[in-house]
């Protein structure tokens, strides 16, 4: 599936999934930028995360967008499994809330994009990302992705070590701005569609 919109029920809810690892020790890791974006969106919606029944996730239900036809029902989620098991909780939420796979948005870190740069797309490979790998194995690849660039590890540092380290002090100076922009991109995708969001945020 390429970078194209698909037709879905206009009244169907959207499931926005921030990918990360649970626990305070991971909170500021590069791998947890999806959680950071989800937390910011939660503040905008005005809700608090709560445990989602049998699904191993925290969720908020709410709406985004202006009043009228552009207003969208959303379920904002943070899987509480570890990253490489994200597919189970996401699939459970998809089934419970009856969300079309094309209305699922995964927000995640991306090694092959420079720090702070965003790329939005529908479908595609997992590029070695364990959270995407688990989601795709569980439900196929035809969901949206908001890819938040973290860059490649310096020198000979292993990828696993790099993604599980906190953002560097120089990066943290701009982190709030980039997380805010990623949240804007998610909202644009849900309200206005992939093509408009790509045109605005794929830098």
């Amino acid at each position: 599936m390429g970078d194209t919109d698909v037709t879905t029920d206009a009244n169907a809810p959207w499931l926005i999934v921030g990918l990360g690892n649970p626990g305070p020790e991971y909170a500021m890791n590069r791998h947890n930028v999806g959680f950071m974006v989800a937390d910011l969106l939660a503040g905008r919606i005005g809700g608090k995360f709560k445990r989602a029944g049998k699904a191993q996730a925290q969720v908020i239900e709410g709406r985004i967008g202006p009043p009228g036809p552009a207003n969208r029902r959303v379920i904002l989620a943070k899987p509480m499994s570890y990253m490489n098991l994200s597919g189970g909780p996401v699939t459970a939420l998809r089934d419970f809330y009856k969300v079309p796979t094309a209305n699922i948005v995964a927000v995640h870190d991306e090694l092959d994009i420079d720090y702070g740069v965003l790329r939005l797309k529908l479908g595609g490979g997992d590029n070695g990302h364990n959270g995407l790998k688990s989601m795709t194995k569980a439900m196929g690849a035809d969901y949206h992705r908001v890819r938040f660039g973290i860059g490649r590890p310096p020198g000979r540092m292993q990828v696993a070590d790099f993604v599980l380290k906190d953002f560097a002090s120089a990066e943290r100076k701009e982190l709030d701005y980039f997380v805010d922009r990623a949240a804007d991109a998610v909202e644009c995708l849900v309200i206005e569609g992939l093509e408009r969001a790509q045109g605005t945020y794929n830098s």
Side-chain angles (χ1 to χ4, degrees):
M1 185 71 69
D3 290 3
T4 56
D5 282 302
V6 295
T7 301
T8 59
D9 179 357
N11 296 316
W14 285 75
L15 175 58
I16 302 166
V17 182
L19 292 179
N21 287 308
E25 67 270 34
Y26 299 105
M28 292 303 297
N29 287 182
R30 294 181 178 92
H31 222 19
N32 268 44
V33 73
F35 273 18
M36 297 175 199
V37 175
D39 286 337
L40 182 59
L41 286 167
R44 293 182 181 183
I45 290 173
K48 291 186 177 181
F49 281 103
K50 62 182 181 182
R51 200 76 178 189
K54 294 180 180 179
Q56 198 175 359
Q58 292 183 349
V59 299
I60 294 173
E61 297 180 58
R63 303 192 77 89
I64 62 173
N71 192 259
R72 299 284 183 263
R73 179 184 171 217
V74 298
I75 298 95
L76 187 60
K78 297 192 295 185
M80 290 289 107
S81 61
Y82 284 92
M83 180 71 85
N84 61 344
L85 299 173
S86 300
V90 175
T91 303
L93 293 172
R94 178 200 65 178
D95 295 346
F96 180 78
Y97 289 103
K98 297 179 171 56
V99 180
T101 301
N103 277 24
I104 296 173
V105 183
V107 186
H108 64 92
D109 57 303
E110 179 63 62
L111 285 160
D112 287 335
I113 303 174
D114 290 340
Y115 173 60
V117 174
L118 298 176
R119 291 283 188 274
L120 285 73
K121 70 174 186 174
L122 174 66
D126 57 57
N127 202 26
H129 191 286
N130 287 332
L132 298 182
K133 191 177 298 183
S134 178
M135 285 180 61
T136 297
K137 183 178 180 182
M139 62 185 188
D142 295 338
Y143 54 90
H144 288 87
R145 299 99 188 277
V146 174
R147 305 155 71 204
F148 186 110
I150 61 170
R152 301 293 302 185
R156 297 185 179 182
M157 183 184 291
Q158 294 295 311
V159 166
D161 294 333
F162 180 69
V163 300
L164 292 175
K165 285 189 181 297
D166 290 357
F167 284 100
S169 56
E171 293 171 328
R172 286 199 294 271
K173 293 177 182 177
E174 296 182 291
L175 182 60
D176 287 349
Y177 168 77
F178 288 140
V179 169
D180 190 72
R181 190 166 184 269
D184 290 345
V186 171
E187 292 185 342
C188 183
L189 168 61
V190 170
I191 297 166
E192 301 187 55
L194 178 60
E195 187 175 347
R196 177 66 65 88
Q198 286 176 325
T200 305
Y201 293 99
N202 278 17
S203 48

